[in-house]
């Protein structure tokens, strides 16, 4: 029996149907599934012992067959601007990072969807980590719960927003990401509104269409960074096999189906995209796809090729976009001093 412990499956990986079947197969009543799921998700219980309204016999049965692999916040760092970065340890000792971002009226959780990343965007520190594996839905969910608790403990405020903008590419872990969102939004989970959730993607055309077909209700952000295909090829290798035109076409599809605007994330770099040709190309795309633009401040990752563009170039972007009737704003970085800002998540503190 001892040796089997490692092989026990995490109970949260079972669907409701599978758990029902398990209960029936073991002479239990299937209605118990409701109580068990409530403990697992809504109450986020850490062990079967904690399921106090479930009989000892049933708890014993569950713990004989399953485990609850809770994440553990291995290290927590606080920035002088209030941002908190968690290094989160998974049951197999892999580490991912998640961030709590406090503003005047929001507590936002920025969470990871994969261990490492396979995309190789040249300007992103996470790209330096190999993609090890996808996170399970429960591991994504647990990051949100941890940040929700920190929001209550350190700020006395509830969690208001969630962004899938941590490590990894959420659309390359489609099933688990969608399951995590289903649990986060379900009244039987955290009961949050999907309007407060944003999934950020490099822009995978096929999967964006799938999101639209699946009728998702959360927001979509695309890390565009340049609206010129050749330029995008150079800084985001993913683009070589997934040209911009296909991405735009998929966003057109997304808008027609969902009627929801896309957010374009965009960093302006010196001598890369800080000229009028790039600005005009962006305006052209924004005219075609109902959208808004977030100009993200570049966070240095010690690579000479990338430097934040000067403030007047960023202002020129703002001015031209606004003059064309496009909503655009500048997003200043948070948590830079602890490497918690966009593109800086790289397990620096915990790296072996
Ligand atoms: N893979 C998804 C999720 C990562 S989100 C995606 O590509 O959208 C992280 C966001 O930070 C993306 O918009 C990414 O392009 C941006 N980013 C990456 N490195 C950055 C850096 N050094 N400075 C600012 N933003 C960066």
């Amino acid at each position: 029996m001892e040796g089997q412990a490692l092989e026990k499956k995490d109970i949260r990986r079972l669907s409701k149907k599978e758990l029902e079947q398990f209960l029936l197969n073991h002479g239990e009543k299937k209605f118990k599934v409701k109580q068990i799921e409530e403990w697992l998700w809504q109450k986020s219980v850490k062990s079967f012992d904690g399921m106090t309204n479930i009989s000892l016999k049933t708890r014993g049965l569950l713990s004989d067959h399953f485990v609850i692999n809770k994440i553990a916040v291995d290290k927590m760092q606080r920035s002088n601007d209030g941002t908190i970065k968690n290094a989160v340890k998974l049951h197999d000792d892999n580490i991912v990072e998640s961030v709590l971002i406090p503003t005047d009226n929001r507590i936002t959780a920025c969470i990871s969807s994969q261990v490492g990343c396979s995309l190789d965007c040249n300007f992103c520190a996470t790209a330096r980590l190999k993609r090890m594996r996808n996170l399970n839905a429960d591991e994504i969910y647990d990051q949100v719960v941890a940040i929700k608790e920190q929001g209550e403990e350190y700020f006395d405020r509830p969690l208001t927003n969630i962004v899938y903008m941590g490590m990894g590419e959420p659309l390359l872990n489609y099933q688990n990401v969608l399951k995590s969102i289903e649990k986060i939004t379900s009244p039987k989970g955290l009961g949050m509104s999907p309007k407060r959730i944003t999934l950020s993607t490099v822009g995978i055309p096929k999967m964006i269409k799938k999101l639209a077909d699946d009728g998702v209700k959360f927001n979509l952000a695309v890390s565009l960074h340049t609206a010129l295909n050749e330029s995008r090829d150079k800084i985001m290798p993913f683009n070589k096999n997934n040209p911009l035109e296909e991405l735009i076409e998929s966003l057109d599809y997304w808008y027609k189906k969902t009627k929801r605007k896309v957010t374009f994330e965009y960093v302006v770099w010196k001598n890369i995209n800080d000229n009028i040709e790039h600005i005009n190309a962006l305006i052209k795309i924004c005219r075609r796809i109902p959208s808004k633009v977030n100009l993200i401040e570049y966070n240095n990752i010690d690579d000479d090729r990338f430097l934040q563009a000067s403030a007047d170039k960023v202002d020129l972007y703002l001015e031209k976009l606004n003059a064309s009737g496009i909503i655009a704003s500048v997003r200043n970085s948070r948590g830079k001093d602890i490497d918690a800002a966009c593109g800086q998540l790289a397990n620096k503190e915990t790296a072996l």
Side-chain angles (χ1 to χ4, degrees), residues 282-342:
L282 178 59
I283 291 173
K284 201 169 153 203
I285 286 187
C286 292
R287 284 205 170 123
R288 192 166 146 198
I289 308 293
S291 51
K292 51 188 179 183
V293 178
N294 278 348
L295 296 170
I296 309 176
E297 190 186 336
Y298 175 58
N299 300 305
N300 213 309
I301 61 156
D302 298 327
D303 184 326
D304 299 344
R305 292 171 297 173
F306 295 95
L307 285 175
Q308 168 69 40
S310 63
D312 55 321
K313 294 287 170 53
V314 177
D315 286 345
L316 188 63
Y317 260 91
L318 274 179
E319 188 190 307
K320 296 279 181 198
L321 287 165
N322 289 334
S324 306
I326 297 153
I327 300 169
S329 55
V330 175
R331 289 292 159 104
N332 291 320
S333 282
R334 305 289 306 272
K336 265 193 192 179
D337 55 331
I338 53 167
D339 288 322
C342 289

Side-chain angles (χ1 to χ4, degrees), residues 104-282:
D104 286 348
N105 47 11
R106 291 180 175 187
I107 295 282
T108 300
C110 174
I111 53 174
S112 295
S113 56
Q114 297 183 308
V115 182
C117 190
S118 58
L119 291 175
D120 290 330
C121 299
N122 294 344
F123 46 82
C124 181
T126 308
R128 293 173 183 162
L129 302 175
K130 237 177 87 183
R131 176 200 165 280
M132 304 298 284
R133 70 169 172 88
N134 284 337
L135 293 192
N136 292 306
D138 45 280
E139 292 168 326
I140 300 173
Y141 185 89
D142 283 355
Q143 292 175 65
V144 177
V145 172
I147 288 180
K148 181 175 157 27
E149 288 170 359
Q150 289 171 334
E152 285 155 8
E153 182 175 349
Y154 297 102
F155 300 91
D156 203 14
R157 280 157 56 190
L159 179 66
T160 58
N161 295 74
I162 301 172
V163 293
Y164 283 69
M165 290 188 192
M167 294 172 159
E169 169 50 49
L171 294 187
L172 291 177
N173 184 14
Y174 193 88
Q175 296 290 345
N176 295 344
V177 163
L178 258 65
K179 181 175 174 189
S180 71
I181 295 176
E182 181 213 312
K183 295 294 181 189
I184 291 165
T185 53
S186 163
K188 292 174 191 151
L190 298 179
M192 285 188 66
S193 164
K195 289 191 195 125
R196 300 200 164 260
I197 301 177
T198 300
L199 182 153
S200 174
T201 174
V202 69
I204 306 177
K206 201 170 72 188
M207 302 315 282
I208 290 175
K209 286 187 176 171
K210 185 164 166 49
L211 282 177
D213 287 339
D214 287 346
V216 300
K217 298 279 181 280
F218 48 82
N219 304 301
L220 181 66
V222 173
S223 303
L224 188 65
H225 300 308
T226 162
L228 292 173
N229 195 53
E230 275 166 41
S231 174
R232 206 165 188 258
D233 275 353
K234 284 192 199 136
I235 59 174
M236 301 166 82
F238 176 84
N239 194 70
K240 288 183 190 156
N241 293 322
N242 297 271
L244 209 48
E245 189 45 42
E246 283 176 28
L247 171 58
I248 301 309
E249 196 229 312
S250 73
L251 294 174
D252 198 28
Y253 186 88
W254 159 271
Y255 186 77
K256 286 194 175 115
K257 283 229 154 178
T258 66
K259 293 283 171 282
R260 248 167 308 132
K261 277 188 183 175
V262 172
T263 301
F264 288 124
E265 295 158 274
Y266 200 104
V267 177
V268 189
W269 288 286
K270 188 175 175 189
N271 297 337
I272 292 182
N273 56 0
D274 60 347
N275 60 40
I276 194 72
E277 194 195 349
H278 275 88
I279 298 178
N280 287 336
L282 178 59

Side-chain angles (χ1 to χ4, degrees), residues 72-106:
V73 176
D74 201 38
K75 183 171 178 163
M76 181 188 127
Q77 287 173 274
R78 286 195 81 174
S79 158
N80 49 29
D81 68 17
T83 301
I84 294 178
K85 180 168 85 169
N86 295 320
V88 165
K89 196 179 221 159
L90 310 173
H91 70 97
D92 58 1
D93 286 346
N94 272 308
I95 302 263
V96 292
E97 292 178 335
S98 52
V99 184
L100 180 160
I101 308 148
T103 59
D104 286 348
N105 47 11
R106 291 180 175 187

